[in-house]
Amino acid sequence: MPILNKDMTLCISLSARPSNNGTRFHNFLYETLGLNWIYKAFAPTNLEQAIAGVRGLGIRGCAVSMPYKEDVIALVDTMDASAAAIDSVNTIVNDAGVLTAYNTDYTAIAQLIERNSLDPTLSVLLRGSGGMAKATAAAFRDAGFRDVTIVARNEAAGRALADLYGFGWQGELGDSTADVIVNVTPIGMAGGPEADALSFPEATVEASRVVFDVVALPAETPLVRAGSAAGKTVISGAEVATIQALEQFVLYTGLRPSDEQMRAAEDFMRAQ
């Protein structure tokens, strides 16, 4: 990494519980490609002031994570179609003080559905109703899935998300089962109050065919471990994090690393 200097370009991330995933991934690629850039994670105490700082300080890129993906919409100038379509933002690009919002979460989920050849006739239980849940639900809808149930205790948010994509809604999991179970809540996230909790009952995991946890840290969440132990097809949040971070890198720098460089950055990110 180059020594800090006045010409260095800064990118940041904003999250209630920041991880080193993006920091390691982006900084590894900056160094690999010889860029005079640096990436730093922050936990803002005031979102409006943080975004004003992005604009006023000329910060080039800003990743946005839970729980700010919807709140930042009012603070940007332009919504790219990827963010406007789902009213959720995970990436902001600053062009001379003009802030444009994008969503690379959707891209990551869509790619993983395709990579794992998930059959759109399968039933899906999707737990969560926030900004990331919107991106996930949209990706499943656009991949042809119709038998999807949103599980969310927040009835207003849960019903709104379900109605948006023509899916079902229920407030509690109960003894519900599905072919594909997707966790898009902070349950199982390192550092959170439910870090050791399982986001779906063991019986629901056993009855499923595919276990998908969008939580990126740790790479092996309680749900990922349970799915692996049960012999299910498992898709992890670490995979989501890699793809969405790569697409952010391209938006920020205009450069697309080679597959070899991307894999090296992914390995470096995970070896923490």
Side-chain angles (χ1 to χ4, degrees), residues 30 35 42-43 46 59 73 99 102 115 122 128 134 147 166 170 193 206 226 255 258 271:
Y30 297 158
L35 300 178
F42 291 94
N46 184 301
I59 294 170
I73 292 174
L99 305 186
Y102 299 82
R115 278 186 198 176
L122 297 177
K134 284 184 179 179
D147 186 4
Q170 61 189 54
E206 288 290 343
L255 303 174
S258 67

Side-chain angles (χ1 to χ4, degrees), residues 24 26 71 80-82 98 110 126 170 198 204-205 212-216 225 229-230 239 243 262 266:
R24 291 174 66 87
H26 285 270
D71 293 342
D80 178 75
S82 62
V98 178
L126 192 160
Q170 61 189 54
L198 193 60
T204 303
V205 175
F212 192 164
D213 197 344
V214 176
V215 171
R225 291 197 301 271
E239 296 173 83
I243 297 171
M262 189 277 290
E266 181 179 23

Side-chain angles (χ1 to χ4, degrees), residues 60-253:
R60 169 59 178 169
C62 176
V64 181
S65 191
M66 290 188 223
Y68 306 119
K69 293 172 185 278
E70 296 167 314
D71 293 342
V72 298
I73 292 174
L75 305 176
V76 301
D77 301 305
T78 305
M79 292 279 282
D80 178 75
S82 62
I86 55 178
D87 287 325
S88 177
V89 173
N90 84 321
T91 305
I92 299 171
V93 177
N94 182 1
D95 292 299
V98 178
L99 305 186
T100 302
Y102 299 82
N103 195 304
T104 65
D105 289 330
Y106 171 91
T107 303
I109 300 295
Q111 287 188 24
L112 287 168
I113 290 172
E114 182 178 1
R115 278 186 198 176
N116 288 274
S117 301
L118 299 190
D119 183 348
T121 65
L122 297 177
S123 59
V124 180
L125 277 177
L126 192 160
R127 186 172 188 185
S129 60
M132 186 65 179
K134 284 184 179 179
T136 304
F140 272 92
R141 188 276 311 273
D142 292 347
F145 287 78
R146 296 295 177 263
D147 186 4
V148 179
T149 301
I150 305 298
V151 181
R153 292 180 182 177
N154 184 323
E155 182 173 355
R159 284 191 182 276
L161 179 57
D163 291 345
L164 183 62
Y165 297 114
F167 297 154
W169 166 83
Q170 61 189 54
E172 301 289 343
L173 277 168
D175 56 1
S176 298
T177 61
D179 299 314
V180 183
I181 57 174
V182 189
N183 175 46
V184 201
T185 76
I187 299 173
M189 182 181 293
E194 298 177 282
D196 298 322
L198 193 60
S199 50
F200 288 89
E202 290 184 7
T204 303
V205 175
E206 288 290 343
S208 70
R209 295 168 58 178
V210 179
V211 171
F212 192 164
D213 197 344
V214 176
V215 171
L217 189 69
E220 290 193 356
T221 62
L223 181 60
V224 166
R225 291 197 301 271
S228 298
K232 310 301 179 180
T233 296
V234 174
I235 306 172
S236 74
E239 296 173 83
V240 177
T242 297
I243 297 171
Q244 68 86 16
L246 174 63
E247 297 305 322
Q248 286 177 331
F249 182 90
V250 174
L251 287 170
Y252 298 156
T253 67

